[in-house]
Amino acid sequence: MDYKLIFVIISIILSALETSGYKILGLFPYVGQSHDVMFKSIMNELVKRGHVVDVLSHYPREKSMYNYTDLSVLGSVPLPNNQASFETPVISKLDIFNALEMFWFHSAIEKHERVMKSAVAQALIKSEKRYDLIITESFATDMVIGFVDKFKVPFVLLSSCALPPWTSDIVANPQNPAFVPVFTSRFSSRMSFAERVINAGQLFLSLVSWYGLIVPANQRIIREHFGNDAPPILDTLKNASLVLSNTHPTIHGARPLAANVIDVGGVHIEPAKKLPEDIEKFIQESPHGVIYFCLGSIIRAATLPEEKRSAFVHTFSRLKERVLWKFEDENLHVPDNVMVKAWMPQRDILAHPKVKLFISHGGLFGTLEAVSEGKPMLIMPKDSDQPMNAQALKAQGVAQILELNGIRNETIYETIKEVLKPKYAERAKELARLFHDRPMSAADTAIYWIEYVIRNGGARHLRSSAVDLPYYQYLLLDVILFYFFSVISSVYVIYSSIKWLCCSNKQVYVNSKQKRQ
């Protein structure tokens, strides 16, 4: 047998497989692990469809994958996982317009500049590689947008949460504050007058802060690393070919979307896997079902103040249901119906038919997984998009909200008993049915549109002409002023004409009277 010939044939086949797909660069400088979950799901799926991807991120794959190259910047920025305190600063409750959030975004840019200074990013800047597309996040760390001009390729933006105001703005996606809540607000799509006042203020301040603080900070970093002749970041961003948003109408309600904004909520959800034996046994042996309690990847559950922790332990001891509790300290003293583990396979647990309730902080990824599996929720939102997610789910009839300062024995118990009522489970199952009733899966939708953009040279025809309009034209301020002055002028002319006619008739009458005398 000619092994050399076989080797050559295999090499040719592998080379053909590698070159048959597109070459795609993924740039994900933000350090949040939950964000990375969505992005890696899409990049993994692209490889499965025959494409070649290079991925810059803080989270390299644990196992190598053919045609998937990690450009790891791990260590350039400290990982925040399980570091955030459960306690909410009091000042956040006074900051109704979320102005402090924008200063946080600005500080995040300064911190993430270290990514651009890393050896991996510097090597990519000097690289002579060629790509067909760039995929990156639209959040705050837009300094990697400089690579779009370097490689001269179209690009796709990803949003791991409901679209931030600035993401909608750069692609002229409608965001009427009367019914589209800002992603860091505490409102559902049905707002009172006071909520609409606050929501409009948040939208205005978010855009002003983004253009005034965030854009200049990113522009400075781009020019420092790509040269002073790098184009203005806004000129580049406004040429985005596509925005893939991790949302779905079943959660956040129906919203107007531009042609190049596509919902792919749940793109990270894969088929459920077999549970570890101890967890499976714990669930199966529960005659009354199981409650799953997890505060996500960022918040450290062990930072729960002692009185709140004791309140949960006491409440769980009163329940007939068993409780799975993701908690960093596995030595926590808990009743027999509670299992504590530092890590649990959340997606697989929520898929189990005996799980009856999900207690969470309202992070979007866990929320999507719970909606996908038809599970009611008790949500304790802390910050970011969590309050808005919580309000949206409460409005959908599948969740109740427990504010952090309201955590006490009775409030926890009563809220849990409320959400365990059959009406919540029935509504959650209906929402799951609607969530899955799509023409294509979220993954298929994402890949279709990414390939569509490459096939069609950036798909410029999807770009709204409104992107090029100045604000006064987009908001029809010039038209409103035209009509205003036209009406005022017309009223003045009519008034003057009537006045002149009246005066003329009066003079004619006086003259006629004088002649008769």
Side-chain angles (χ1 to χ4, degrees):
M1 183 177 291
D2 191 342
Y3 291 102
K4 288 185 178 179
L5 178 61
I6 294 174
F7 177 77
V8 170
I9 293 173
I10 292 174
S11 298
I12 292 172
I13 292 173
L14 291 176
S15 177
L17 286 172
E18 180 171 332
T19 56
S20 63
Y22 298 119
K23 290 184 171 62
I24 300 170
L25 175 63
L27 299 170
F28 310 115
Y30 183 65
V31 77
Q33 186 175 20
S34 59
H35 296 234
D36 195 72
V37 169
M38 175 195 180
F39 309 151
K40 291 297 175 61
S41 297
I42 291 175
M43 303 310 288
N44 289 343
E45 196 64 34
L46 284 166
V47 171
K48 293 176 184 176
R49 308 293 176 100
H51 304 299
V52 181
V53 304
D54 293 347
V55 181
L56 181 149
S57 79
H58 301 271
Y59 299 94
R61 290 182 57 87
E62 293 180 359
K63 296 181 180 178
S64 61
M65 186 178 190
Y66 185 70
N67 280 346
Y68 188 114
T69 301
D70 273 308
L71 306 177
S72 175
V73 291
L74 178 62
S76 59
V77 180
L79 299 183
N81 307 330
N82 290 320
Q83 299 298 317
S85 172
F86 190 81
E87 290 284 76
T88 301
V90 176
I91 193 168
S92 67
K93 297 176 182 178
L94 304 176
D95 182 27
I96 62 172
F97 292 108
N98 286 346
L100 294 178
E101 288 272 0
M102 299 309 297
F103 287 104
W104 179 89
F105 281 122
H106 184 265
S107 66
I109 294 169
E110 300 298 321
K111 181 172 67 174
H112 285 79
E113 184 177 1
R114 300 172 202 166
V115 172
M116 296 302 298
K117 293 179 178 179
S118 68
V120 169
Q122 289 298 310
L124 191 60
I125 290 172
K126 298 170 185 174
S127 169
E128 296 300 323
K129 288 185 176 183
R130 299 184 64 182
Y131 294 99
D132 298 299
L133 183 76
I134 285 175
I135 300 177
T136 189
E137 179 182 19
S138 178
F139 190 58
T141 50
D142 292 323
M143 66 277 290
V144 293
I145 287 296
F147 284 107
V148 172
D149 180 65
K150 171 184 168 49
F151 291 114
K152 310 294 183 190
V153 291
F155 69 103
V156 170
L157 295 175
L158 305 182
S159 179
S160 62
C161 55
L163 293 183
W166 47 89
T167 308
S168 284
D169 199 62
I170 59 179
V171 294
N173 188 61
Q175 48 182 338
N176 188 327
F179 65 95
V180 178
V182 174
F183 80 124
T184 54
S185 74
R186 291 181 170 269
F187 312 133
S188 70
S189 58
R190 300 184 183 277
M191 291 175 268
S192 66
F193 171 75
E195 289 171 341
R196 283 183 284 119
V197 168
I198 296 171
N199 193 54
Q202 288 183 353
L203 175 61
F204 176 76
L205 285 178
S206 294
L207 291 176
V208 168
S209 301
W210 191 75
Y211 283 105
L213 287 174
I214 311 304
V215 169
N218 279 302
Q219 185 70 65
R220 176 189 63 77
I221 296 171
I222 286 174
R223 291 206 165 141
E224 181 177 331
H225 294 281
F226 292 93
N228 290 327
D229 57 344
I233 186 174
L234 284 177
D235 290 354
T236 304
L237 285 172
K238 289 183 177 181
N239 283 307
S241 297
L242 186 70
V243 177
L244 298 178
S245 175
N246 193 30
T247 51
H248 192 266
T250 53
I251 297 176
H252 296 109
R255 299 183 178 188
L257 297 178
N260 60 347
V261 177
I262 309 296
D263 277 334
V264 292
V267 69
H268 73 288
I269 300 176
E270 297 180 346
K273 303 181 185 67
K274 185 178 179 180
L275 288 169
E277 288 186 12
D278 57 341
I279 295 179
E280 176 70 30
K281 184 173 184 292
F282 182 82
I283 295 176
Q284 288 291 5
E285 292 179 356
S286 172
H288 303 290
V290 171
I291 295 169
Y292 176 55
F293 183 14
C294 174
L295 295 175
S297 61
I298 301 298
I299 299 174
R300 185 171 180 80
T303 63
L304 271 170
E306 180 60 37
E307 68 276 9
K308 291 180 170 57
R309 188 185 313 173
S310 298
F312 277 110
V313 172
H314 176 72
T315 299
F316 293 156
S317 69
R318 298 172 61 187
L319 298 173
K320 61 182 180 180
E321 293 82 9
R322 290 188 173 184
V323 179
L324 289 167
W325 189 354
K326 178 185 172 293
F327 195 88
E328 293 79 16
D329 182 7
E330 295 188 0
N331 294 319
L332 179 69
H333 183 68
V334 292
D336 293 338
N337 67 326
V338 178
M339 174 186 282
V340 172
K341 281 185 171 292
W343 179 87
M344 293 189 185
Q346 176 171 288
R347 188 268 173 279
D348 307 323
I349 289 173
L350 290 173
H352 199 289
K354 296 195 80 170
V355 172
K356 301 171 65 177
L357 174 64
F358 180 30
I359 302 177
S360 116
H361 64 310
L364 186 53
F365 289 89
T367 292
L368 287 162
E369 291 163 2
V371 169
S372 174
E373 297 301 332
K375 307 299 182 184
M377 285 163 269
L378 189 163
I379 303 176
M380 300 179 295
K382 182 177 181 290
D383 51 29
S384 189
D385 65 334
Q386 298 158 19
M388 188 198 67
N389 296 335
Q391 291 292 345
L393 291 162
K394 182 179 180 180
Q396 295 284 8
V398 298
Q400 283 292 328
I401 300 171
L402 181 61
E403 296 295 345
L404 302 183
N405 58 5
I407 296 177
R408 298 180 195 79
N409 291 342
E410 286 307 313
T411 55
I412 300 172
Y413 183 78
E414 293 301 327
T415 309
I416 288 176
K417 298 304 287 185
E418 170 65 23
V419 189
L420 285 174
K421 290 179 179 178
K423 65 178 182 179
Y424 289 91
E426 291 167 8
R427 177 58 184 156
K429 287 181 173 60
E430 173 63 12
L431 211 61
R433 185 189 68 77
L434 294 171
F435 182 78
H436 289 288
D437 193 354
R438 317 183 191 192
M440 291 192 291
S441 70
D444 287 341
T445 302
I447 303 306
Y448 169 81
W449 283 106
I450 289 171
E451 293 175 341
Y452 181 93
V453 164
I454 302 175
R455 285 197 308 270
N456 293 285
R460 291 278 300 179
H461 58 284
L462 296 180
R463 183 177 180 270
S464 171
S465 58
V467 170
D468 300 317
L469 294 178
Y471 274 115
Y472 75 89
Q473 291 183 10
Y474 181 78
L475 298 174
L476 290 176
L477 296 181
D478 53 345
V479 174
I480 292 170
L481 284 173
F482 170 78
Y483 278 117
F484 176 77
F485 285 114
S486 295
V487 170
I488 294 296
S489 299
S490 298
V491 170
Y492 177 76
V493 169
I494 292 171
Y495 171 78
S496 298
S497 298
I498 292 173
K499 184 178 179 181
W500 180 81
L501 286 172
C502 289
C503 290
S504 297
N505 288 336
K506 184 177 180 181
Q507 187 62 43
V508 169
Y509 174 76
V510 170
N511 292 339
S512 174
K513 185 176 181 181
Q514 287 175 347
K515 286 181 181 180
R516 287 199 300 270
Q517 291 176 349

